[in-house]
Amino acid sequence: MKIEINNLTKEYDELIALNGVNITLVTGMYGLLGANGAGKSTLMKILAGILDKTSGEIKLDGNVIKKTGQIRKLIGYIPQTFSFYPNMTVFEIMDYFSALNGVKENRKERIGKLLEMTHLIDKSRAKVKELSGGMKQRLGIAAALVKDPELLLVDEPTVGLDPKERVHFSNVLMTFSKDKIILLSSHIVSDIESTCENLAILNYGNAIYNGSKRALLDECNGKIWEFTTSIEESVALEEKFSVSSKNIYHNEAVLRVVSEEKPVDSAVNVPPTLNDAYIYKIDEDDKKFEETQI
């Protein structure tokens, strides 16, 4: 299956939430990266059929989708925030979602398989209110997959989870991505870096990057610098340069700086991380915007 998003725009009065976004999705994990308010959730809700687009088109295997109902049965959606009835058990939640989605054949067997894959089988009799945040997120995945969707939309899934739960959650998603399209939205760069080979970056409703992670890293190769300086000097340097990370050790600061030119004499060129590349693309887009305002 292939989904093509062409010139997708969403306007709210004078606010442009999405501005001509173009993305192509194929089987596997695809990352959608951007700050809060960049337009990620708006894009997710349009794909899920919750919001109407202002203009643009969505194609499924080359055919234009005129009504979201045409593909709704193919989509599973895990929003930023969701809630289950706290006094229902994990199995009862899964049985309820199975009924809602018309799953009749081998229902109990399918529920058991999904709970096994999301590492919740031992919690099937536990009430939702007894689950940790990570367990509730995994239950959200299991419930969204009960109808076996071909496209799974996951919006900001790891917010509020501890590092161990975030890793566990990502591993579960990667298990399912082998034969499905999973669009993972996040403002946490490490979530995308560890799971997705392809990604798009949104900034104020614009898709400022759409391609492979490798190509993005190559784009800012030679523009990432690392050096050690005093804590006092680091404050001044942060005003002058774009700093992608700062770590304090004793009375010194180790800075990573995104810059076309060598920022200080002691700076050493280092291989870029996805966080470096993300900062680079955001800075590049912000500079273009500032130039248009002059």
Side-chain angles (χ1 to χ4, degrees), residues 11 19 31:
E11 299 177 359
N19 186 22

Side-chain angles (χ1 to χ4, degrees), residues 225-282:
W225 307 86
E226 187 171 280
F227 56 92
T228 301
T229 186
S230 67
I231 294 175
E232 294 77 13
E233 183 64 20
S234 71
V235 175
L237 289 167
E238 284 179 89
E239 295 293 324
K240 188 177 180 181
F241 295 101
S242 180
V243 176
S244 60
S245 73
K246 177 180 179 179
N247 292 298
I248 305 297
Y249 298 99
H250 304 295
N251 294 318
E252 294 182 321
V254 178
L255 299 185
R256 286 178 74 94
V257 168
V258 181
S259 175
E260 299 280 348
E261 304 295 332
K262 192 173 186 177
V264 297
D265 290 340
S266 61
V268 177
N269 207 229
V270 292
T273 64
L274 187 60
N275 186 63
D276 297 325
Y278 171 66
I279 296 295
Y280 169 74
K281 292 302 292 186
I282 293 294

Side-chain angles (χ1 to χ4, degrees), residues 78 82 84 90 93-94 114-123 131-146 152 154 157-158 161-162 164-173 176:
I78 305 175
F82 58 88
F84 298 117
V90 167
I93 290 291
M94 291 296 293
L114 286 169
L115 291 181
E116 187 79 48
M117 293 179 75
T118 52
H119 304 280
L120 288 171
I121 193 66
D122 60 333
K123 298 291 182 181
L131 303 181
S132 68
M135 291 175 185
K136 289 177 183 177
Q137 291 286 51
R138 280 184 269 139
L139 179 57
I141 293 179
L145 288 169
V146 76
L152 181 63
V154 190
T158 64
L161 301 187
D162 65 40
K164 185 176 181 179
E165 287 180 326
R166 281 167 56 190
V167 170
H168 200 163
F169 186 87
S170 296
N171 289 340
V172 170
L173 284 180
F176 288 109

Side-chain angles (χ1 to χ4, degrees), residues 3 5 25 42-49 58 71 75 153 183:
I3 295 176
I5 301 166
L25 305 172
T42 299
L43 176 57
M44 290 285 203
K45 288 176 182 177
I46 290 174
L47 287 174
I58 300 170
I71 61 170
I75 294 173
L153 306 171
L183 181 59

Side-chain angles (χ1 to χ4, degrees), residues 202-220:
L202 294 185
N203 192 34
Y204 299 112
N206 296 294
I208 62 174
Y209 182 80
N210 179 27
S212 72
K213 182 171 62 178
R214 182 69 265 164
L216 178 59
L217 292 173
D218 288 343
E219 194 174 326
C220 63

Side-chain angles (χ1 to χ4, degrees), residues 54-67:
T54 301
S55 62
E57 64 179 17
I58 300 170
K59 289 184 178 181
L60 173 61
D61 292 333
N63 300 308
V64 176
I65 302 300
K66 295 182 179 178
K67 294 183 179 180

